[in-house]
Amino acid sequence: MVGATGATGEKLVRQLVNVSAFKEVVAVGRRVLENVEPGTAKLDLRAIDMDKLETEARPAFEHADCVFCCLGTTRKVCPVCDRVKEGGKRLSHSSLG
């Protein structure tokens, strides 16, 4: 799972560890999640440099059967997002400047 420390990612991680179909949940993010409930032994948290996502996250997903991606930003961090929504424009990496 990528984006584990964001608002959506953190909630997803907490749900995934309670799904019996998953034997292991590997979560990567900018930092390690805090206040993770005890008993989540199947949770492997890895802090990585997100600027090197492709190389640093690769080992985490070598044996993955599925991957969840919760990368994103918030309006507080990304003021252009409000303008994009209001103007009906498509958000692209280049528009974030």
Side-chain angles (χ1 to χ4, degrees):
M1 199 246 144
V2 182
T5 57
T8 303
E10 186 172 344
K11 290 177 183 175
L12 180 60
V13 167
R14 294 177 191 283
Q15 290 180 15
L16 291 175
V17 296
N18 292 308
V19 176
S20 61
F22 293 112
K23 294 179 182 174
E24 180 182 27
V25 176
V26 179
V28 299
R30 294 187 186 280
R31 56 185 161 69
V32 174
L33 287 174
E34 298 175 6
N35 304 318
V36 177
E37 293 82 12
T40 54
K42 68 179 181 178
L43 180 58
D44 179 2
L45 297 168
R46 302 181 189 191
I48 64 168
D49 180 347
M50 296 300 277
D51 291 330
K52 299 175 183 173
L53 178 64
E54 185 175 345
T55 56
E56 290 197 12
R58 184 180 307 270
F61 304 116
E62 284 180 343
H63 303 289
D65 293 321
C66 65
V67 176
F68 294 90
C69 180
C70 293
L71 294 178
T73 188
T74 63
R75 287 190 183 114
K76 182 177 179 182
V77 176
C78 178
V80 74
C81 295
D82 284 329
R83 293 195 309 270
V84 170
K85 184 177 178 183
E86 291 168 9
K89 297 178 185 174
R90 183 179 176 144
L91 181 64
S92 68
H93 185 271
S94 62
S95 68
L96 299 176

